Amino acid sequence: MNLEKLKYPIGKFEVPKDITDEILQKCIEDIASFPTRLRQVVNNLNESHLNTEYRPGGWTIRQLLNHCADSHMNGFMRVKLTLTEEKPVIKPYLEASWAELEDSRDYPIESALSILDGIHPRWSTLLKSFSLDQWQRTFIHPEQGREITLAANTCLYAWHCNHHLAHITTLKESKGW
């Protein structure tokens, strides 16, 4: 498998041109079910597996799981900020640097899985409660220099869940785990 396919096993994220209610409902489902789906694919992995890079030069599965916890904490906070403030400027973070910190590189995965278990039900419940107007609320991403709607952000995080899940399932298939 080529490096680009290993990096983006489900393809690069693209915001749907027309974000329909059906698309949003599917995205909410993907976000809600992510912790369960993730636990199912990592359930039988041992320490050696967890310390394996999902692609050459990529993160280990352990780092990937901790990245998901970090990213999804930030994602949930961005939603809450956007619902309670007018066009907040979000705080980006250096995800690659965070992945090299001790709590991402060498720490047991259960705390990351527990974080996801706690955030995702709250996040999906909040998303299910949105009015039509709330989907169009925006935050400003300073690195990208643009406004992002909560609808587009929800699509992005659903993709993010499936993207990283595919990293793990692709590696497991290639290794015969």
Side-chain angles (χ1 to χ4, degrees):
M1 187 176 290
N2 71 38
L3 194 57
E4 190 70 8
K5 184 67 175 162
L6 290 173
K7 195 172 187 178
Y8 298 102
I10 64 169
K12 292 183 178 180
F13 175 70
E14 292 184 24
V15 179
K17 290 191 186 333
D18 183 27
I19 303 176
T20 64
D21 188 51
E22 291 77 23
I23 289 172
L24 289 171
Q25 294 313 308
K26 173 68 170 109
C27 290
I28 293 169
E29 257 178 52
D30 287 350
I31 290 169
S33 66
F34 181 63
T36 301
R37 292 183 294 137
L38 187 60
R39 280 188 181 275
Q40 288 170 346
V41 300
V42 301
N43 187 34
N44 65 338
L45 299 181
N46 62 37
E47 289 298 307
S48 175
H49 297 147
L50 293 172
N51 292 323
T52 303
E53 294 176 347
Y54 72 88
R55 67 174 167 84
W59 292 332
T60 65
I61 294 175
R62 180 184 314 280
Q63 287 172 302
L64 192 68
L65 296 171
N66 286 303
H67 161 71
C68 287
D70 292 342
S71 174
H72 296 192
M73 283 189 288
N74 275 285
F76 182 53
M77 294 292 292
R78 290 171 181 177
V79 170
K80 293 182 80 106
L81 288 168
T82 305
L83 290 172
T84 60
E85 298 177 16
E86 195 59 38
K87 295 184 184 180
V89 176
I90 58 105
K91 172 84 170 104
Y93 68 102
L94 302 173
E95 61 184 39
S97 296
W98 284 33
E100 292 302 323
L101 296 173
E102 182 69 23
D103 70 312
S104 292
R105 199 181 62 247
D106 297 320
Y107 202 72
I109 63 169
E110 187 53 42
S111 65
L113 295 172
S114 293
I115 287 168
L116 295 167
D117 286 341
I119 289 173
H120 279 253
R122 290 186 63 195
W123 196 356
S124 57
T125 296
L126 185 58
L127 294 171
K128 288 175 189 174
S129 75
F130 281 13
S131 67
L132 288 175
D133 289 344
Q134 286 173 314
W135 285 115
Q136 297 313 308
R137 291 187 64 87
T138 60
F139 62 81
I140 298 167
H141 196 299
E143 290 178 341
Q144 296 177 12
R146 64 185 179 98
E147 291 183 29
I148 299 171
T149 67
L150 288 179
N153 190 61
T154 300
C155 293
L156 171 65
Y157 273 96
W159 172 86
H160 191 259
C161 292
N162 295 325
H163 167 70
H164 286 310
L165 197 63
H167 283 144
I168 299 167
T169 58
T170 300
L171 177 63
K172 285 179 67 174
E173 288 170 15
S174 74
K175 297 284 189 182
W177 295 340

